Amino acid sequence: MAWRDNPNQWGSISIGLHWLTFVLVLCAAIIGLVMDEFPSGRLKLQVYAVHKSFGITVLALTALRLAWRALGKGPVAVEGTPRWQDGIARLTHGALYGLLLAVPLSGWWYNSAAGFPLRWFGLVALPKLTTYNRELKHLAEDVHEALFYALAGLILVHAMAALWHHYFARDTTLSRML
């Protein structure tokens, strides 16, 4: 497999970034959904820190993916794909990229408004996006949660479309990303 994308296949870099992003989003989501259940203490702080670090990593990987996409063209639509389906796929991918940026940024905003420090895996201190603000903290939390659920829903639609292409349309849409 080539490392660069071509008109018929995603390259190994695009495929690796795609699946690494998926795994990190899945891990951050699972942690995010259960971390409030932990009793207050050191373990809870560590779990929150991992969640935040996964989010910052998703943000960085998404920026890298967008840069990689800008350097070359991905595969064209599979032959026989109706234009309306290709248009919806492009809109969905654009929305996915937007949410993959917005969810971690809103989490960073929430963390900043809550007055907490942000260190990527304990190694790199990241700047605050705002100062402590109780009202802003609640707004940022609501925005982060709403964006997360939008991302989760869109990922589900994206996965269902890929499976539909594979099992019902029987085309190479999914296999090009494996």
Side-chain angles (χ1 to χ4, degrees):
M1 171 189 305
W3 60 279
R4 296 204 63 166
D5 304 335
N6 67 57
N8 299 312
Q9 175 74 37
W10 292 104
S12 58
I13 292 177
S14 292
I15 292 170
L17 290 171
H18 174 274
W19 290 108
L20 180 57
T21 300
F22 171 73
V23 168
L24 287 168
V25 167
L26 181 63
C27 291
I30 291 168
I31 293 168
L33 291 169
V34 301
M35 64 189 188
D36 280 342
E37 304 304 317
F38 282 79
S40 293
R42 184 170 176 82
L43 177 61
K44 186 172 188 168
L45 291 174
Q46 290 171 335
V47 169
Y48 269 74
V50 169
H51 172 76
K52 295 171 193 180
S53 292
F54 282 173
I56 294 300
T57 306
V58 167
L59 180 63
L61 284 175
T62 302
L64 180 62
R65 288 177 72 182
L66 288 170
W68 183 248
R69 291 280 310 260
L71 292 175
K73 291 187 174 188
V76 296
V78 172
E79 188 175 327
T81 301
R83 290 183 73 183
W84 66 269
Q85 278 185 9
D86 187 44
I88 289 173
R90 290 179 188 279
L91 284 171
T92 302
H93 284 106
L96 281 166
Y97 280 118
L99 287 167
L100 287 169
L101 295 170
V103 173
L105 282 171
S106 66
W108 190 350
W109 179 42
Y110 169 45
N111 187 77
S112 298
F116 292 111
L118 183 57
R119 294 185 61 82
W120 181 74
F121 291 109
L123 301 172
V124 178
L126 298 168
K128 290 185 181 288
L129 299 180
T130 187
T131 58
Y132 172 78
N133 182 312
R134 181 182 303 198
E135 292 79 27
L136 195 58
K137 170 186 152 188
H138 294 297
L139 173 63
E141 180 180 23
D142 291 344
V143 167
H144 184 59
E145 188 174 311
L147 289 172
F148 161 71
Y149 284 113
L151 177 61
L154 202 53
I155 288 171
L156 184 61
V157 168
H158 178 68
M160 289 180 358
L163 292 171
W164 180 86
H165 276 280
H166 189 71
Y167 290 108
F168 295 100
R170 298 197 184 276
D171 64 27
T172 60
T173 300
L174 177 60
S175 62
R176 297 189 311 177
M177 186 49 82
L178 297 174

